[in-house]
Amino acid sequence: MKPAPFEYWRATSIDEAVQGLAASAGTAKIIAGGQSLGPMLNLRLARPSVLIDIAGVTELKRVQDVGGKLFIGAGTTHAAIEDGVLPASAAGLMQAVARRIAYRAVRNRGTIGGSLAHADPAADWILALTALDAAVSVRGPNGKRSVPVQSLMRAPFTTVLAEDELIVGIETDKLSSTAVWSHQKFSRKVGKFADAAAVVVLDDTSGFCRIVLGTPDAPPVVMRSLAEALLSDSKRRLPLDAIYSAVQTAGTAADSFDIQLQTTVLARAIEKLVLQ
Amino acid sequence: MDDAIDAAGQGIGSSVLRKEDDRHMRGRGRFIPDFKMDGLSEVAFVRSPLAHALIVSIAKPAGAAGWVFIRDDLAGVKPIRSVMRAPGFRASDHHPLAHGKVRFVGEPIAMCVAPSRALAEDLAESVDVHLEELTAVVDAKAVNGGPYVHDEWGAHTFLETSSDNGIEEIAKAAAVTVKREFHMSRQVVNSMEGKAILAYWDDLKSQLVVYTSTQVPHMIRTGIAEHLGLDQGAVRVVAPDVGGGFGYKCVLQAEELCIAWLAMTFRKPFRWTEDRREHLTSGANCREHFYSVTAYADVRGKLLGIDAEITVDAGAYSVWPFTACLEATMAAGHFPGPYAFKGYRSKSWSVATNKPAILPYRGVARTGICFAMELTIDAVARAVGREPWEVRRENLVPEDAMPYVNPTGKVYDSGDYRRSLDIAVKEIDLPAVRRKQAAMADGGHLIGVGFANYIEMTAHGTKLFAAVGLPFVPGAEPATLRFTPDGGLEIRVGVQSHGQGMETSLAQIAHEVLGIDLGKIAVVHGDTELTPFSTGTYASRSITMAGGAVAEGCRILAERMRPIAAHLLQCGADSVVLRAGTFYGPSGNISVPEVARTWYMRPEQLSGELSVCGLEVLGLYRPKVDTGQYSYGTHAAVVSIDRLTGALRILDYVIVEDCGRRVNPLIVAGQTYGGAAQGIGTALLEEMQFDTNGQPLASTLADYLMPGAAEMPNIRLHHIETLSPNTAYGIKGVGEGGAIPPPAAIFNAVNDAFAGTGVEVNTTPLTPRRLYGAIERWELGRRGAGA
């Protein structure tokens, strides 16, 4: 379990990293914390010609509170978020999500941008940031663009980003003080990727409500009709059969156990939301 | 000795901290991958991507002839052929590199040598192997006709056994007949350190030196010498720090022969370090038992007889020296467990499949039979409408029947099995659990409580092994001991300590006899050059066998010192007493170290006959009865089941265990907790699955789930100390017990939660998906009953 040969470049700036990507004509890989890419390199499932290390790029670790928005540098580690590097508002949700990613040793090195770029459908950030309707800031040779997290993952382990594009950060609207959220994660053991997960965000002030279901084999699913129903229900309750049929419609379940599990995880997320 | 007193609290029964932990906690252990050596080459293996295929051709990359090796290159190396001396046994030839056919995914086909492992793996990728795929034999329960794993057999089994002491007659008297099927899935051992081997040629001694991560250095020396055609004196095997074995490292591996051959042939150092993918997919598979059990009982649930059909998926090859049939034959021979009943019929099949060979893993067979037997007991109890623990209790061998001979002739030496269960029932507070269960009956969670009794045969010796028919039989266990001139004691043992803490516990036994400070006692192990021959560490034998040998050696040393001490104290030898490291005479005393110093450094003070009887001795030990000493105990679990997800939580877990005299209670507790963690893994998480083509479905620990700290319940541990009548100090082994009953206790708890509905779970591990399937049946039954 040793990687196939590759060249190693250490980038000191975003520009350098993007130039490196462009120069490699699609054969380079960005490495930040290496918590997913490392094993894939060792298993020779990933075989880049060049590894561009962005762990030392300080401008990627910036966290900014800009008016109604929060900008989180892609190089921010899960541990930093767990430890409270983000200001309040959405931070409550993100801090709670960060705390339950893998193990602390993984969180110490793994980064939020790396997790999104890796595009494991069972991962936590793609789910939580979809629920917050966040967007990733992307830099490429032709400049900047913004991609909603919701449409970032084309398929498991595949994003819509071009080969020469780099995620530099995440931009998310700050929630109002009345916003509530909940996060449910079902996994067979602590630290394992979830078999099913759900995040619900509800902000009465802005009328924002999102319910997102995460599963191991498909990109997170935004449950629009459920969210609308929840928003329009004064008691913030949803009937179980509505959730059940929404899961069936989502097509994320391979068998009756999956349906049951996903339904339960969603139902509990919604239930917990109301209890807060 | 005479009045051995544990003055410093270092002897038998003292919970002293382990001597070896100092280096391990500071990261100063020395494992094989830590070694640096000039000119060391690393090895990577080309492994079969198919489970069953003909090898059409193997093309080495151009210019790589001296760096890539296949079977034909290994001139003079014999295949591993591990034969159980039993009628009808079919032998397999396991070539160190595949020959003609590959028989499991991961079987080594070629080995590649390079200055680094990464380069060796690059080389391995460039070897072109052309295979012609054959239909794989994957389901041991569904074998029927060809193709065969071993074509020359024209059959699928390594061995079939049967026994019957008249079950049909006994069955006629049964008021209750209970028939059940059980399946304990294939697992992987997952020692923290995988296998590692480093071999070089020592020109000084004209000797092949093999460092290997093993439990049995002397056996590996024998194995390497026999298979490479060397004299055993020309082979030295060293096991430095070894990061766990659990049975995986008590067999000769193909890779061991390969690396040894390289060093012997090229007279240079070579190393192979197993990675976790190799460990999971090719190295360390185990278990995979199928049971069909019929129990015959009276109206109260008292067992009259058991009929057990046991199928073990043994994988492709027979491992040396434990063979492909240890699991099935031990399962058949020990199925009755701690229960007293008369009628017993067994049939066993050790089936060859296109999977890695199974290895003896902690608990060997008994985790499976305990699972099958304990679930059967509970099923019998439900059939007669009684509390499972009561039926269990009445069937347990009573204390006054000890020593007890079971229906297969095994002799249980001592113990109070019922008392162990009674303590567990009390500690788990059964009435409180039943109240909670009733109170939560209609809630979101089901509560269940389960008990499992087990016995753990330990330190089985010559007679038993001779009867089993393995390629080797252990004899009297040796320890050599000597004093250093400054009064320190060196103990040399052929067993190997790889987590058991024997550098401490064996020293405690020596302290018990001689009273020397533990800091002055060194236990030397893991090197065939420095230690006496032993079959090694397996079968929970070392503390009993090597411990007995150390005690015997210390006694001999004390008797040699006594006349010297008497001479120096100017009194008769009879009037000298050894107490806490000092010889006391009528008018003075002298310490053990001082006696040693005098013998080595001041021999002029001794008369002629005293100075010729040295302070270096061989202690040999064999228990009075060497068919095994039976440790035993009870596990009790309370579980909560989430009705909506099939998630299971262990709410309470009680262990009662009796391993005779505990040499170091702290180590006993560690062994028990560690074993229980592995047993909980068996029950809830661990499963090595294969698809219908024999492809393993897990190749990393992301897919093969192991219990972690968060999955461990807070275990409440209780001890009974029933001394074995057959061993020094009444010691019994404790290495495996913790891993035996957790699946049984946990599954019984789940089945208790479903009691009264006919729903039972019977297949490990109890994944949420499997458990939810049972919940669905249970809900259906409830709705049916309500309607």
Side-chain angles (χ1 to χ4, degrees):
Chain A
M1 275 212 290
K2 300 290 178 195
F6 58 82
E7 274 188 65
Y8 174 81
W9 298 350
R10 183 173 288 160
T12 58
S13 68
I14 291 172
D15 286 342
E16 254 184 51
V18 171
Q19 282 158 20
L21 279 176
S24 78
T27 62
K29 269 274 180 195
I30 295 284
I31 188 164
Q35 296 305 291
S36 295
L37 185 56
M40 289 181 70
L41 288 168
N42 286 341
L43 291 163
R44 299 193 174 209
L45 296 171
R47 308 180 68 121
S49 64
V50 183
L51 212 52
I52 303 171
D53 187 348
I54 56 165
V57 180
T58 47
E59 55 186 317
L60 285 171
K61 292 175 186 165
R62 208 170 290 152
V63 171
Q64 279 172 310
D65 195 343
V66 260
K69 283 186 184 294
L70 190 63
F71 180 86
I72 306 155
T76 308
T77 62
H78 315 316
I81 296 170
E82 176 183 15
D83 294 345
V85 74
L86 305 185
S89 172
L93 169 60
M94 292 186 66
Q95 196 168 1
V97 169
R99 193 179 300 135
R100 295 184 64 192
I101 295 174
Y103 304 94
R104 180 73 194 196
V106 172
R107 300 197 287 271
N108 282 338
R109 296 193 65 86
T111 65
I112 188 167
S115 171
L116 291 172
H118 180 61
D120 187 329
D124 299 272
W125 287 133
I126 191 84
L127 172 73
L129 294 171
T130 299
L132 287 168
D133 197 18
V136 288
S137 301
V138 176
R139 282 271 293 276
N142 302 321
K144 272 189 189 175
R145 69 173 176 132
S146 179
V147 178
V149 172
Q150 184 187 332
S151 50
L152 178 67
M153 191 187 296
R154 191 202 303 275
F157 304 101
T158 311
T159 67
V160 298
L161 301 185
E163 283 160 345
D164 52 8
E165 284 184 313
L166 174 73
I167 296 176
V168 296
I170 292 94
E171 215 169 53
T172 178
D173 288 337
K174 285 165 73 174
L175 299 175
S176 78
S177 57
T178 58
V180 288
W181 53 264
S182 78
H183 173 221
Q184 280 284 315
K185 184 172 174 180
F186 184 92
S187 55
R188 286 185 60 199
K189 60 174 283 195
V190 170
K192 193 191 178 301
F193 279 108
D195 295 317
V199 171
V200 182
V201 177
L202 188 137
D203 194 341
D204 274 325
T205 310
S206 60
F208 176 85
C209 180
R210 268 206 169 188
I211 300 175
V212 186
L213 172 66
T215 61
D217 299 317
V221 182
V222 179
M223 317 292 275
R224 282 188 206 292
S225 59
L226 285 185
E228 281 161 19
L230 185 67
L231 207 51
S232 60
D233 185 272
S234 60
K235 290 183 178 156
R236 303 290 181 236
R237 284 194 195 141
L238 287 179
L240 200 59
D241 54 358
I243 300 172
Y244 186 89
S245 58
V247 168
Q248 279 184 313
T249 309
T252 44
D255 61 12
S256 65
F257 174 69
D258 279 345
I259 294 180
Q260 172 64 22
L261 191 61
Q262 292 168 16
T263 302
T264 303
V265 163
L266 278 168
R268 286 180 180 172
I270 293 162
E271 189 183 357
K272 204 173 127 198
L273 187 77
V274 176
L275 290 175
Q276 279 171 352
Chain B
M1 236 341 265
D2 309 18
D3 297 296
I5 287 174
D6 182 14
Q10 298 183 338
I12 291 173
S14 303
S15 287
V16 296
L17 295 179
R18 306 196 311 178
K19 291 161 70 113
E20 43 271 77
D21 288 347
D22 185 73
R23 69 177 184 276
H24 289 309
M25 297 307 285
R26 293 176 204 279
R28 289 178 185 149
R30 289 273 284 161
F31 299 86
I32 287 169
D34 296 324
F35 287 80
K36 292 183 169 56
M37 198 172 280
D38 284 344
L40 177 62
S41 292
E42 303 285 348
V43 174
F45 287 91
V46 176
R47 294 179 180 275
S48 175
L50 298 177
H52 198 193
L54 293 172
I55 300 174
V56 179
S57 64
I58 307 170
K60 299 177 186 178
W67 302 94
V68 176
F69 304 92
I70 60 173
R71 178 63 179 110
D72 290 344
D73 297 319
L74 272 52
V77 180
K78 293 183 196 146
I80 298 169
R81 190 175 174 87
S82 185
V83 174
M84 178 174 272
R85 283 173 285 109
F89 178 85
R90 296 184 182 91
S92 61
D93 280 336
H94 183 189
H95 292 266
L97 294 171
H99 179 68
K101 244 168 91 157
V102 286
R103 294 187 176 84
F104 64 92
V105 172
E107 180 166 3
I109 294 175
M111 64 175 159
C112 303
V113 174
S116 76
R117 173 64 177 257
L119 291 170
E121 289 186 17
D122 291 349
L123 198 52
E125 283 190 334
S126 66
V127 176
D128 190 14
V129 180
H130 183 193
L131 300 176
E132 187 182 312
E133 186 161 16
L134 302 169
T135 303
V137 181
V138 180
D139 184 350
K141 289 285 282 176
V143 290
N144 185 18
Y148 301 101
V149 177
H150 299 280
D151 303 296
E152 64 278 16
W153 293 359
H156 285 288
T157 52
F158 284 99
L159 182 67
E160 297 172 21
T161 67
S162 61
S163 75
D164 185 357
N165 68 1
I167 192 78
E168 282 186 15
E169 201 55 39
I170 287 164
K172 285 177 193 163
V176 175
T177 301
V178 168
K179 190 169 163 56
R180 292 289 187 278
E181 310 268 326
F182 305 103
H183 177 203
M184 180 157 282
S185 294
R186 182 169 276 247
Q187 277 182 252
V188 179
V189 174
N190 274 312
S191 46
M192 201 179 291
E193 183 206 19
K195 188 78 182 174
I197 305 152
L198 186 162
Y200 65 94
W201 186 265
D202 181 355
D203 281 308
L204 185 67
K205 293 179 177 168
S206 284
Q207 202 177 36
L208 172 66
V209 182
V210 182
Y211 278 68
T212 181
S213 185
T214 187
Q215 306 170 217
V216 291
H218 290 274
M219 292 298 290
I220 297 302
R221 172 161 90 158
T222 299
I224 287 173
E226 282 180 3
H227 288 85
L228 296 189
L230 292 168
D231 291 338
Q232 294 198 21
V235 180
R236 175 185 177 188
V237 170
V238 182
D241 272 328
V242 172
F246 308 114
Y248 174 40
K249 297 175 184 171
C250 68
V251 300
L252 179 68
Q253 282 191 243
E255 291 89 346
E256 253 156 351
L257 294 179
C258 288
I259 305 303
W261 177 84
L262 284 170
M264 175 185 81
T265 304
F266 297 100
R267 310 265 163 133
K268 285 179 182 164
F270 297 87
R271 173 167 58 195
W272 170 67
T273 306
E274 180 186 66
D275 62 37
R276 190 59 57 178
R277 181 166 50 177
E278 290 176 306
H279 184 90
L280 286 166
T281 58
S282 73
N285 279 215
C286 55
R287 307 236 201 272
E288 193 152 21
H289 293 199
F290 302 85
Y291 294 87
S292 177
V293 180
T294 309
Y296 301 101
D298 69 14
V299 286
R300 298 278 295 160
K302 176 75 184 146
L303 289 177
L304 306 174
I306 290 277
D307 189 350
E309 295 187 352
I310 302 157
T311 303
V312 174
D313 181 333
Y317 296 110
S318 179
V319 295
W320 190 89
F322 287 96
T323 81
C325 308
L326 181 69
E327 290 277 332
T329 54
M330 196 190 249
H334 291 79
F335 195 90
Y339 299 104
F341 56 86
K342 290 216 167 58
Y344 180 59
R345 176 162 69 186
S346 72
K347 285 185 185 170
S348 84
W349 295 267
S350 298
V351 182
T353 59
N354 290 114
K355 300 179 192 172
I358 56 157
L359 303 151
Y361 170 46
R362 195 176 199 176
V364 189
R366 288 153 299 182
T367 305
I369 56 180
C370 177
F371 180 65
M373 187 69 196
E374 293 300 314
L375 267 62
T376 300
I377 290 276
D378 275 33
V380 168
R382 284 191 291 273
V384 300
R386 298 184 66 201
E387 271 280 4
W389 78 269
E390 290 176 359
V391 171
R392 173 170 282 101
R393 189 181 196 285
E394 287 167 15
N395 280 296
L396 287 169
V397 174
E399 200 254 341
D400 59 12
M402 293 290 174
Y404 173 81
V405 182
N406 87 351
T408 64
K410 306 293 183 292
V411 184
Y412 303 170
D413 57 299
S414 62
D416 191 341
Y417 301 170
R418 293 179 175 183
R419 187 175 155 221
S420 162
L421 175 61
D422 291 343
I423 295 171
V425 170
K426 180 168 174 288
E427 288 296 328
I428 209 83
D429 195 355
L430 187 62
V433 176
R434 289 278 177 244
R435 284 195 297 275
K436 184 173 182 180
Q437 196 172 32
M440 292 176 68
D442 295 313
H445 290 77
L446 297 173
I447 304 290
V449 57
F451 298 89
N453 273 67
Y454 72 96
I455 52 173
E456 176 193 7
M457 178 178 59
T458 71
H460 24 307
T462 309
K463 204 181 284 178
L464 188 126
F465 270 87
V468 171
L470 292 179
F472 80 108
V473 176
E477 187 67 23
T480 56
L481 296 87
R482 72 181 183 201
F483 273 103
T484 56
D486 63 353
L489 180 67
E490 291 174 353
I491 298 171
R492 292 155 196 279
V493 288
V495 295
Q496 211 278 342
S497 183
H498 44 278
Q500 295 88 345
M502 283 191 272
E503 292 170 31
T504 307
S505 53
L506 292 178
Q508 286 182 261
I509 291 173
H511 173 90
E512 185 75 20
V513 181
L514 295 170
I516 313 165
D517 188 83
L518 285 190
K520 299 274 278 179
I521 303 173
V523 174
V524 178
H525 64 97
D527 188 339
T528 56
E529 201 81 343
L530 302 175
T531 63
F533 179 88
S534 163
T535 52
T537 295
Y538 55 90
S540 302
R541 67 189 297 275
S542 295
I543 196 64
T544 307
M545 300 301 291
V550 167
E552 179 59 19
C554 288
R555 280 188 203 102
I556 297 170
L557 275 176
E559 286 314 310
R560 290 201 179 175
M561 285 184 142
R562 182 192 301 278
I564 302 172
H567 175 77
L568 296 171
L569 294 171
Q570 298 185 326
C571 63
D574 290 348
S575 54
V576 175
V577 172
L578 173 60
R579 203 160 52 220
T582 299
F583 287 100
Y584 292 88
S587 57
N589 62 68
I590 184 167
S591 71
V592 166
E594 194 53 39
V595 174
R597 266 192 290 275
T598 306
W599 190 86
Y600 281 104
M601 308 305 284
R602 302 298 304 273
E604 80 278 9
Q605 294 183 7
L606 305 176
S607 63
E609 67 186 46
L610 290 179
S611 62
V612 294
C613 188
L615 297 184
E616 180 160 355
V617 304
L618 169 67
L620 283 168
Y621 179 74
R622 179 182 270 169
K624 282 180 234 160
V625 175
D626 74 351
T627 49
Q629 321 308 326
Y630 284 78
S631 294
Y632 67 93
T634 308
H635 286 208
V638 179
V639 304
S640 148
I641 301 163
D642 184 337
R643 278 171 62 181
L644 297 181
T645 63
L648 181 147
R649 263 198 333 133
I650 300 173
L651 301 179
D652 195 11
Y653 203 97
V654 169
I655 296 178
V656 185
E657 69 83 36
D658 184 350
C659 63
R661 173 72 49 81
R662 288 174 292 159
V663 175
N664 184 325
L666 205 54
I667 290 176
V668 168
Q671 285 279 8
T672 308
Y673 291 135
Q678 286 173 310
I680 288 168
T682 300
L684 300 177
L685 295 166
E686 299 187 44
E687 181 173 20
M688 193 59 180
Q689 290 181 297
F690 292 79
D691 71 10
T692 51
N693 298 316
Q695 289 290 334
L697 298 181
S699 64
T700 72
L701 292 178
D703 303 315
Y704 185 93
L705 300 191
M706 298 283 296
E711 283 67 52
M712 281 293 285
N714 181 20
I715 293 173
R716 299 188 285 127
L717 183 55
H718 298 266
H719 300 280
I720 303 172
E721 283 198 348
T722 308
L723 305 193
S724 169
N726 303 323
T727 66
Y729 301 105
I731 294 168
K732 306 180 188 184
V734 72
E736 298 169 88
I740 294 173
I746 290 167
F747 275 64
N748 273 343
V750 170
N751 289 338
D752 179 67
F754 294 139
T757 62
V759 174
E760 293 176 5
V761 287
N762 64 353
T763 299
T764 68
L766 199 48
T767 61
R769 182 173 252 102
R770 284 194 180 116
L771 187 45
Y772 186 71
I775 293 166
E776 280 185 312
R777 296 196 300 279
W778 176 79
E779 302 268 16
L780 212 61
R782 260 164 55 105
R783 278 200 291 274

